[in-house]
Amino acid sequence: MTVKKIAVLTSGGDSQGMNAAVRSVVRSGLYHGLEVYGIQRGFLGLINDDIRPMDLRSVGDIIQRGGTVLQTARCEEFKTPEGQQKALANLRKHGIDGVVVIGGDGSYRGANILNKLGMKTMGLPGTIDNDIPFTDFTIGFDTAVSIVVDAVNKLRDTMTSHERTSVVEVMGRHCGDIALYAGLASGAEAILVPEVKFDLEQIATRMRENFAHGKRHSIIVVAEGVGKGEHIAEEIERFGIEPRVTVLGHIQRGGTPTHNDRILASRLGDFAVRKLIEGESGKSCGIINGEEVLTDIEVVINTKRPFNMELYELAMRLSQ
Ligand SMILES: Nc1ncnc2c1ncn2[C@@H]1O[C@H](COP(=O)(O)OP(=O)(O)O)[C@@H](O)[C@H]1O
Ligand SMILES: O=P(O)(O)OC[C@H]1O[C@](O)(COP(=O)(O)O)[C@@H](O)[C@@H]1O
Ligand SMILES: [Mg+2]
C-alpha cells in the first residue's frame, strides 16, 4: 500500500541544509499529491503532538537558511517504549502513514524503531559530522568544512606574522572527517583524528624542523573525538612548541548552506518521498558517486563509516 499522508522531522544536532531537505520533502510530497505534515522539535514533537500541515508556502525562503525551521531536540523519552508508543499513537491519530527523519546516527536509531513499529519510515543523513555510512556525504558536512577552512585561513595569517603554531579544535563527535577534509583543504601540518594513532613528540619535532627550514606557521587540526584542543596544546608544550588554541564550536553548525549541501538535501528529500510512494520503508537515502542509493537503516546503524586513509596520507605528504 502506498502512502497518502507523510510527515517530516529534523532531529539531533542541526546542520546546514536541513531546511533545504525539509523544503524538498514537502514540495516533492505535494507535487506527488500527498498531504505533508511538519513535526516540530524532532521526536519530542512526535510525543507532544506538535504536528501541523505544511503547504508550498510554509517552506518558502528557507533553502538558503542554516538551522531548521522545524527545530530539533535531543529527546530521551523517545528512547523508552512508552515514549515510542505515544509518538506512534499521535501519528496514527493524524492518519499519517509515512515519516521522513532527517538527522544523524542517533536519529537513525529512532527511525529504525518507528519502522519496526510498523510506520513507513525513511532516513536522511543530516549532520555536520559525516558519520553516517552508505552516502559519500551527510547534509551539512560540506558547509561545516568550509567554515573550518575559512577559520584556518584567518588563523594562518596571524600565525605566519608571529611564526606560531595554532591548535584548532573542530567538531565531529567520534568521527574525524571534518578534521580530515578541513585539514587537507587548509594545508594543516597535523590532523589529529580518533581513527589514526599519533605521536605528539614526533609532530612537535617535525614542526620545529619545519620552522628551522623556513616555514612560518604550523596548523594542528584536532577532532573533538581525540580530546580537547587545550589538552593537546598542554601536551605539545612539553616538546618545545607553544601553541595558541582556537575552539570553533557551534560556529561550525550555523550559517548559509553551501550549494553542495543544498543540492544534496534537495536530491535526498525528493528521493525519500519517491521511495515512500513506491512502498519502501526502513531505508536510508544516500548519494554515492553521484547515484541515489537506498540502504537498510538497520545496516547503516550497525556499520562504522570507513575512514579515508588515502586522503589522510595525501594531506600529510602535501603539508611538508
Ligand atoms: N537508541 C535510540 N532509540 C531511540 N531513539 C534514539 C536512540 N538514539 C537516539 N535516539 C533519538 O534520536 C535523537 C537524536 O540523537 P542524537 O544522537 O542526539 O543526534 P544525531 O541524530 O544528530 O546523531 C535522540 O535525542 C533520541 O530522541
Ligand atoms: O549540540 P550539542 O549538544 O552541543 O552537541 C555537540 C555535538 O553535536 C554535533 O555538532 C553534531 O552531532 P550530531 O549530528 O550527532 O547531533 C557534534 O559534532 C558535537 O559533538
Ligand atoms: Mg550523531
Side-chain angles (χ1 to χ4, degrees):
M1 202 184 69
T2 186
V3 290
K4 293 202 168 56
K5 279 191 191 183
I6 64 166
V8 55
L9 63 82
T10 51
S11 166
D14 65 353
S15 69
Q16 307 94 333
M18 276 186 166
N19 277 328
V22 170
R23 170 181 178 271
S24 174
V25 170
V26 170
R27 291 200 173 157
S28 184
L30 295 171
Y31 173 84
H32 289 288
L34 308 180
E35 278 184 58
V36 187
Y37 287 73
I39 301 162
Q40 210 70 19
R41 298 185 191 82
F43 295 116
L44 183 65
L46 261 191
I47 291 173
N48 293 339
D49 194 19
D50 205 347
I51 301 173
R52 64 187 154 98
M54 305 285 276
D55 60 18
L56 286 175
R57 294 283 68 79
S58 60
V59 289
D61 199 25
I62 66 169
I63 193 171
Q64 79 283 17
R65 294 186 200 283
T68 160
V69 290
L70 291 180
Q71 299 176 279
T72 182
R74 302 202 198 269
C75 171
E76 283 304 307
E77 195 181 350
F78 189 73
K79 293 184 180 169
T80 67
E82 297 74 30
Q84 292 157 10
Q85 286 304 328
K86 269 197 226 169
L88 192 68
N90 284 329
L91 286 169
R92 298 249 192 266
K93 188 178 83 183
H94 290 279
I96 291 165
D97 46 17
V99 179
V100 179
V101 172
I102 307 169
D105 54 344
S107 305
Y108 264 45
R109 291 180 193 278
N112 196 36
I113 286 165
L114 278 182
N115 175 57
K116 290 210 164 122
L117 291 173
M119 179 57 52
K120 287 207 157 52
T121 309
M122 301 298 265
L124 295 195
T127 168
I128 62 166
D129 291 356
N130 212 37
D131 58 355
I132 295 182
F134 302 100
T135 187
D136 286 340
F137 300 110
T138 59
I139 298 164
F141 174 70
D142 189 69
T143 310
V145 169
S146 305
I147 292 169
V148 176
V149 170
D150 183 52
V152 173
N153 288 343
K154 289 171 178 146
L155 287 168
R156 193 193 264 265
D157 288 345
T158 171
M159 292 304 128
T160 303
S161 306
H162 290 265
E163 294 179 280
R164 274 177 176 160
T165 297
S166 187
V167 169
V168 189
E169 181 192 313
V170 304
M171 278 186 166
R173 212 183 282 274
H174 308 297
C175 179
D177 276 19
I178 294 180
L180 171 65
Y181 281 73
L184 173 58
S186 60
E189 278 71 24
I191 302 173
L192 311 188
V193 292
E195 293 90 344
V196 184
K197 280 207 168 91
F198 56 86
D199 177 338
L200 285 181
E201 186 170 9
Q202 244 176 37
I203 290 172
T205 305
R206 212 180 96 208
M207 280 172 182
R208 280 202 313 274
E209 284 168 8
N210 283 345
F211 277 119
H213 292 119
K215 253 205 171 187
R216 291 167 60 204
H217 62 263
S218 274
I219 308 284
I220 306 175
V221 178
V222 183
E224 63 175 338
V226 159
K228 296 221 168 295
E230 200 65 57
H231 179 68
I232 296 291
E234 277 165 22
E235 291 283 301
I236 213 160
E237 261 185 40
R238 297 198 289 128
F239 307 115
I241 299 272
E242 209 189 296
R244 296 294 190 271
V245 184
T246 304
V247 181
L248 293 179
H250 291 85
I251 295 277
Q252 293 160 96
R253 266 190 8 212
T256 189
T258 60
H259 76 279
N260 284 329
D261 276 328
R262 296 182 201 193
I263 291 169
L264 179 65
S266 301
R267 287 187 71 187
L268 290 179
D270 175 69
F271 182 39
V273 170
R274 282 188 280 114
K275 289 296 154 184
L276 273 176
I277 292 170
E278 285 173 20
E280 293 281 1
S281 182
K283 299 284 197 284
S284 166
C285 300
I287 305 271
I288 300 179
N289 291 331
E291 304 287 337
E292 296 166 344
V293 176
L294 217 54
T295 312
D296 285 340
I297 292 182
E298 186 84 37
V299 172
V300 172
I301 60 181
N302 288 307
T303 306
K304 176 137 177 64
R305 193 185 163 87
F307 184 73
N308 193 333
M309 269 315 282
E310 272 180 40
L311 277 192
Y312 180 84
E313 282 160 8
L314 175 66
M316 291 304 97
R317 279 203 304 279
L318 298 185
S319 65
Q320 297 300 310

